[in-house]
Amino acid sequence: MAYQGKHRNTGKHPVIRAVAISTALVLAVLAGTVVLTYRHLEGNITESQAFDNILSERPEQEEVEGPKEPLNVLVLGSDSRQGQTDVLGQTPGLSDTTILLHLSADRSRAYGVSIPRDLMVPRPACKARAGGTVPAQQIVQWNDAFAVGGEACTVAQFEKMSDLRVDHFVIVNFNGFESMVDALGGVPICVPTDVNDPIGKIYLSAGTYTMDGKQALDYVRVRHSIGSQDTGDIGRMKRQQTFMASMVNKALSSSTLFNPVRLGRFLNAATESLTTDPGLRNLNSLYSLAQEMKGIGLDKVQFLSVPFGPYAPDPNRLGLLPTADRLWDEIREDQALSPEFLKKATKASEGKPGDGKGEPKTEAEKEEAALNGLCA
């Protein structure tokens, strides 16, 4: 009987062992793939020590109530126009896009505050890109800081203007931005009229459609020949806010999050496009930031502009309005922003621009949309 019992079991144990070994191998391969993917994505990100290169005194972090600290991330768009030598009026090495992303301490809201590139502000002394020091300027155009001193100079300039401490910074390369959009399968946007911009060599068809990467890059760059008037950087900034809201919506949608291939391509393109401070260089930090933003809810992620108006000495430049100080105060104290700052804000939860799914627009809002090349 003992012999027969042993004989009967020999047929079962190898099968069990084979299944166990096969399962272990599959899990090992999957784990290895995850580790390799993690290392690959993290290796894509470029690290910058710009905080160490700030020469001016930095603001103190305001203490507020909450389970966590509020977070201020300065997002810069770097557009070298590499490979586009035929573009007229090109500005290599500049950052024409600056957005302060503020996450509240309780992670119940997030604001993206755009800074116009044509804004005239004081600039502190900075380390120069080419070595040495760039002296402080009493008044200078906003995007000049990135050209002469890179991200360190831009952070210092922002902190001097707002008296807000920047916790992290992210630089997004616009050439990589094109790949990010393609990885998402395109991003929906609405163009009210055909765009024929001979200055920037940008041509877009009118209508509501899903833009590919090239079209999206043109859309966020275009400054001329769009809208009922040539609003230049102001209109472009508003269109960038609208596009970012649509892109965030698409990136956090189920069509992306539950599509491993699309998600993987997007993460690869995104990380290849990023330069960050050491605090965000780690993928865990970026993942935590993304999860916190997702937890906020798209209707609480709002894009707006710092209050600005005409700059008297030069009609082609902009100046801060007195209300800008109050905006920075509210962000510093981690308050929910006053309605006056949010009345023209764009929410990431909004549907396709111009698809009629948003809130009804007043005639004044329709006129402003047309002025800035947006669909009402």
Side-chain angles (χ1 to χ4, degrees):
M1 292 294 294
Y3 174 80
Q4 290 177 343
K6 183 178 180 181
H7 179 74
R8 286 196 301 268
N9 287 337
T10 56
K12 294 181 180 180
H13 287 171
V15 174
I16 295 173
R17 283 198 298 270
V19 171
I21 292 171
S22 299
T23 302
L25 285 174
V26 170
L27 291 175
V29 169
L30 288 175
T33 301
V34 170
V35 170
L36 290 174
T37 301
Y38 179 93
R39 289 177 178 173
H40 170 74
L41 293 175
E42 193 166 79
N44 285 343
I45 304 171
T46 302
E47 182 177 305
S48 169
Q49 302 290 336
F51 281 139
D52 295 337
N53 294 326
I54 295 177
L55 302 178
S56 54
E57 185 176 350
R58 305 190 63 199
E60 294 291 331
Q61 179 72 278
E62 194 83 10
E63 292 188 8
V64 300
E65 294 183 2
K68 299 181 180 180
E69 293 294 326
L71 204 61
N72 293 318
V73 183
L74 200 64
V75 181
L76 307 173
S78 176
D79 193 359
S80 66
R81 304 251 178 176
Q82 183 178 1
Q84 298 187 39
T85 55
D86 61 333
V87 175
L88 300 176
Q90 61 182 322
T91 51
L94 291 185
S95 174
D96 289 347
T97 301
T98 305
I99 298 173
L100 185 278
L101 176 64
H102 173 80
L103 274 65
S104 63
D106 61 5
R107 300 304 190 257
S108 66
R109 58 190 178 273
Y111 302 119
V113 184
S114 293
I115 315 295
R117 54 155 264 173
D118 293 332
L119 191 68
M120 302 302 289
V121 294
R123 188 189 68 212
C126 299
K127 286 187 176 182
R129 284 181 181 269
T133 302
V134 180
Q137 294 286 327
Q138 187 174 1
I139 195 78
V140 69
Q141 186 172 317
W142 178 267
N143 66 345
D144 186 64
F146 192 83
V148 300
E151 54 270 27
C153 196
T154 305
V155 169
Q157 180 174 263
F158 175 83
E159 292 185 338
K160 181 175 179 61
M161 173 188 69
S162 64
D163 199 30
L164 275 171
R165 187 177 181 89
V166 173
D167 301 302
H168 299 288
F169 61 83
V170 175
I171 306 168
V172 182
N173 182 291
F174 268 23
N175 289 324
F177 169 85
E178 182 176 343
S179 300
M180 291 167 63
V181 174
D182 283 335
L184 287 174
V187 172
I189 206 71
C190 179
V191 183
T193 58
D194 289 346
V195 176
N196 296 293
D197 177 13
I199 297 176
K201 303 289 186 184
I202 295 173
Y203 306 96
L204 295 168
S205 300
T208 300
Y209 54 97
T210 299
M211 288 187 171
D212 61 25
K214 174 62 170 60
Q215 292 169 325
L217 190 58
D218 285 345
Y219 182 79
V220 298
R221 280 174 170 167
V222 68
R223 300 180 68 216
H224 309 280
S225 305
I226 184 171
S228 57
Q229 291 185 25
D230 189 354
T231 55
D233 190 52
I234 298 174
R236 178 173 66 170
M237 186 172 61
K238 292 181 181 296
R239 291 188 294 274
Q240 287 178 349
Q241 292 172 358
T242 299
F243 188 86
M244 286 184 63
S246 185
M247 186 172 176
V248 168
N249 200 323
K250 182 69 177 285
L252 296 180
S253 68
S254 58
S255 65
T256 299
L257 296 179
F258 297 110
N259 185 327
V261 175
R262 175 175 289 176
L263 181 61
R265 288 174 179 170
F266 175 71
L267 291 175
N268 188 59
T271 51
E272 283 184 337
S273 306
L274 297 183
T275 297
T276 74
D277 63 277
L280 284 185
R281 169 68 169 73
N282 185 285
L283 266 187
N284 285 334
S285 299
L286 282 174
Y287 178 77
S288 296
L289 182 62
Q291 287 296 104
E292 289 172 6
M293 285 197 66
K294 183 183 176 184
I296 288 172
L298 293 180
D299 61 323
K300 296 295 184 180
V301 180
Q302 300 183 78
F303 297 94
L304 59 144
S305 303
V306 64
F308 61 84
Y311 178 65
D314 186 345
N316 296 315
R317 298 293 177 261
L318 303 170
L320 286 173
L321 294 178
T323 50
D325 287 338
R326 193 159 69 253
L327 171 69
W328 300 133
D329 288 343
E330 290 184 5
I331 291 177
R332 187 182 309 106
E333 295 168 8
D334 200 35
Q335 300 176 7
L337 292 185
S338 301
E340 66 176 301
F341 299 126
L342 298 177
K343 60 184 178 181
K344 296 181 181 179
T346 301
K347 294 182 180 180
S349 60
E350 293 180 353
K352 296 179 182 179
D355 67 356
K357 294 181 181 179
E359 296 178 0
K361 303 294 184 183
T362 65
E363 288 304 316
E365 289 173 329
K366 291 178 181 178
E367 289 179 8
E368 183 175 6
L371 184 70
N372 292 300
L374 293 167
C375 298

